[in-house]
Amino acid sequence: MITIAIAGKPNSGKSSFFKASTLADVEIASYPFTTIAPNTGIAYVKVKCPCKEEAIQQATGGKGCGNCIDGFRFVPVELLDVAGLVRGAHEGRGLGNEFLDELRQAEAIIHVVDASGGTDADGNVVDVGSHNPLEDVDFFKAELDMWVYGIIKRNWRKLERKAELEGTKIERLLSEQLAGVGVTEEHIKAVLLESRSLDRANFKSWTDEDLKNLAASIIKRSKKMLIAANKADIAPEENIKRLKDKSKEKEGEPVIPCSAEAELALRTAAKNKIITYLPGDADFEISSNPTERQRKGLERIREFIHAYEGTGVQEIINRVVFDLLDYVVAYPVEDEHKFSDSVGRILPDAFLLKRGSTARDLAFSVHSDIGESFLYAVDARTKLRLGEKHALENNDIIKVVYTR
Ligand SMILES: Nc1nc2c(ncn2[C@@H]2O[C@H](COP(=O)(O)OP(=O)(O)OP(=O)(O)O)[C@@H](O)[C@H]2O)c(=O)[nH]1
Ligand SMILES: [Mg+2]
């Protein structure tokens, strides 16, 4: 499963974002370092379910698949909520950077920034608007860079010697060193190819400064990142604009405003049947009799989600998976006429696969045995047989034929 980490300075709303997305029971409080041990949970991307397409409605007698809500399908991904990161963490400040190691398994990072400017660099509460959130974006990147630089630096002498004695390529040695951080040899090759100052044949003359630049380029290439401009419900508009402008100017990470608190309130109200609301919706219906206080709170949130076209939380998860990480959703079936499995369940499963994956890869996602005995695949919509190398498109429904 895809793992996405939620990171950022203390008190920015990471656990609120996590809880809103997973409805897991975690601690949220208005002081720094509420979270120490990481939380893991399941969140979902939201996609249109194919069962509502006309041709599929006809083929299935309009039954619907029973796996979607109002035509939306929720496909699981793993979320990781880690402790807050403060400036100087790489030198051991705050909780140090040990927990950065929790980010190792993550394919992408959602950097939760307190866009309201209501918390200082260490996460202490200050007046809204008095802290500049742009600083948080810079320091966070610097800490990640220093983390990777620290790993390279610690091992550099050893790597140098090994490269010289054994003639192993420096990109191979570096990638072995950084494998735990999720960095591959391909990442390093690409970075070195791109760099003007780092001559790989001349690695012995690389300076500390060169190693720092190398670390920064490696992070940029290997960890996809997105900025969640959180607390948008109370943030001065100016702050959101500055975050977006800076990102555009520096070709930085996408910035998406959100309110984790609003999303959490809506999902909790929906769970308690006070409102009808689906994550990602830009409105909701009040379905039972809320108290006056609840109604007021809900109406305030309604104003916010009308203005921002949703709370931003679902959009962020979708953007990470489909834009940053470039995944597609595919639906395996056994009967391409009924769009079902062998016992008649319509579109029983949805899988997320990296773009470029083939039907054989999908077969392996279903079961390794099916992958091993894969013969060919059929596009269930067109009934056409797919070529061995055919890359799956988003939303494909695929019949896999295999030897039994
Ligand atoms: N107004 C507003 N407040 C929020 C929002 N998200 C979180 N908060 C508040 O910000 C404070 C910190 O929230 P947490 O989710 O505990 O923050 P955290 O980043 O996990 O904090 P640490 O675990 O201490 O690093 C709490 O008082 C939340 O209620 C939001 O979208 N809007
Ligand atoms: Mg927390």
Side-chain angles (χ1 to χ4, degrees), residues 1 39 76 98 123 126 129 141 160 167 173 175 204 215 227 229 276 280 304 317 367 391 399 403-404:
M1 202 186 294
N39 301 304
E98 245 172 64
V126 293
K141 272 201 211 134
E160 258 184 338
L173 294 171
S175 68
K204 284 193 73 182
I227 292 171
T276 320
F304 170 75
I317 294 172
H367 199 287
K399 173 194 165 81
T403 52
R404 284 170 196 263

Side-chain angles (χ1 to χ4, degrees), residues 3 29 46-47 93 129 257 281 354 356:
T3 302
K46 180 187 187 184
V47 294
R93 267 199 82 219
D281 286 355
K354 210 68 183 158

